[in-house]
Amino acid sequence: MKFFADTAEIDAIAELNELGILDGVTTNPSLILKSGRDIVEVTREIAALVDGPVSAEVVAMQAPAMIEEGRKLAAIADNIAIKLPLTWDGLKACKALSGEGHMINVTLCFSANQALLAAKAGAAFISPFIGRLDDIDLDGTDLIADIRLIYDNYGFDTEILAASIRSVNHVTECARLGADVMTAPPEVIHKLAQHPLTDKGLETFLKDWEKTGQKII
Ligand code: G3P
């Protein structure tokens, strides 16, 4: 499974990138707001740092304006994935921009039928928002399973990019279900390394080592 960082915070991205576990980055208007940075400037910086796709989201609502805005975002760097909302106009823009050879990430997906449409419109990525489905008492990971099944039934090569990941359990479940990519806040990615038994075991080993009185360095 590919790991994308769902953030526009350069330091956090750089740290994950240095570890070699980062395959891309996703941003959205809320994350740009949180970073306090200019969208073009910060997107250019992220795209220069990371080899994989960097999603930058359009804010226009009508297809012609989305297409124009998407082209501008794509011109920032070669590894930009244009992020378009899953609306009828977003699908039109997806068809046009993917036809021009751009990488498209269709976002705000909440149903399998929406995912089917995005794949047919040429999306490189579909972003089902699992945490936001959980927020309304549905099971977001069921959607990942449905999309996986449907895409495999018909051989669509659109990658399932599990988004709105809020917990380490979401990551495990998405990996079990065969999501191609997961995008999570850096804090969640850090938590993947944590286990209380690891901490407890390490504490015991260090205490016992101290008792040996030995030194390696
Ligand atoms: O990139 C979009 C997405 O991951 C949003 O997550 O936590 O705001 O629902 P969240």
Side-chain angles (χ1 to χ4, degrees):
M1 182 164 57
K2 291 178 205 164
F3 275 23
F4 287 4
D6 201 24
T7 184
E9 305 295 334
I10 293 288
D11 291 350
I13 293 168
E15 196 205 6
L16 294 168
N17 198 43
E18 271 166 36
L19 190 59
I21 62 166
L22 202 60
D23 302 295
V25 173
T26 49
T27 67
N28 62 38
S30 306
L31 294 170
I32 297 293
L33 173 70
K34 200 171 161 199
S35 75
R37 301 276 312 271
D38 171 78
I39 182 168
V40 174
E41 200 180 273
V42 77
T43 305
R44 184 175 292 124
E45 225 173 290
I46 297 169
L49 198 63
V50 175
D51 286 337
V54 175
S55 291
E57 190 159 340
V58 305
V59 290
M61 296 292 286
Q62 308 300 320
M66 284 174 163
I67 294 167
E68 203 180 314
E69 201 185 333
R71 287 184 187 134
K72 281 187 189 151
L73 291 173
I76 295 174
D78 288 344
N79 53 340
I80 297 297
I82 304 164
K83 214 173 178 188
L84 296 165
L86 215 156
T87 58
W88 203 253
D89 278 81
L91 291 170
K92 283 185 191 170
C94 177
K95 184 71 191 162
L97 289 167
S98 62
E100 290 175 11
H102 296 297
M103 199 170 19
I104 309 298
N105 175 0
V106 176
T107 189
L108 288 165
C109 170
F110 294 96
S111 80
N113 286 335
Q114 288 181 317
L116 193 48
L117 283 169
K120 289 180 75 68
F125 300 102
I126 182 69
S127 290
F129 275 29
I130 67 174
R132 293 193 194 183
L133 282 168
D134 288 358
D135 287 346
I136 57 162
D137 296 326
L138 294 171
D139 187 340
T141 55
D142 282 352
L143 177 58
I144 301 294
D146 285 347
I147 301 173
R148 179 76 285 153
L149 179 72
I150 291 166
Y151 280 7
D152 289 350
N153 278 349
Y154 297 102
F156 286 117
D157 54 14
T158 300
E159 293 190 50
I160 302 173
L161 196 175
S164 187
I165 297 255
R166 308 270 178 76
S167 69
V168 292
N169 290 342
H170 276 157
V171 178
T172 314
E173 207 43 37
C174 287
R176 280 167 48 84
L177 294 168
D180 300 287
V181 192
M182 73 91 196
T183 189
E187 311 82 67
V188 173
I189 298 178
H190 276 260
K191 275 192 196 154
L192 297 176
Q194 295 169 10
H195 197 285
L197 291 180
T198 303
D199 296 340
K200 195 171 169 231
L202 187 58
E203 199 185 323
T204 308
F205 287 158
L206 291 179
K207 273 188 192 145
D208 288 345
W209 178 248
E210 212 176 303
K211 286 180 205 158
T212 69
Q214 298 178 43
K215 273 198 169 60
I216 296 174
I217 47 168

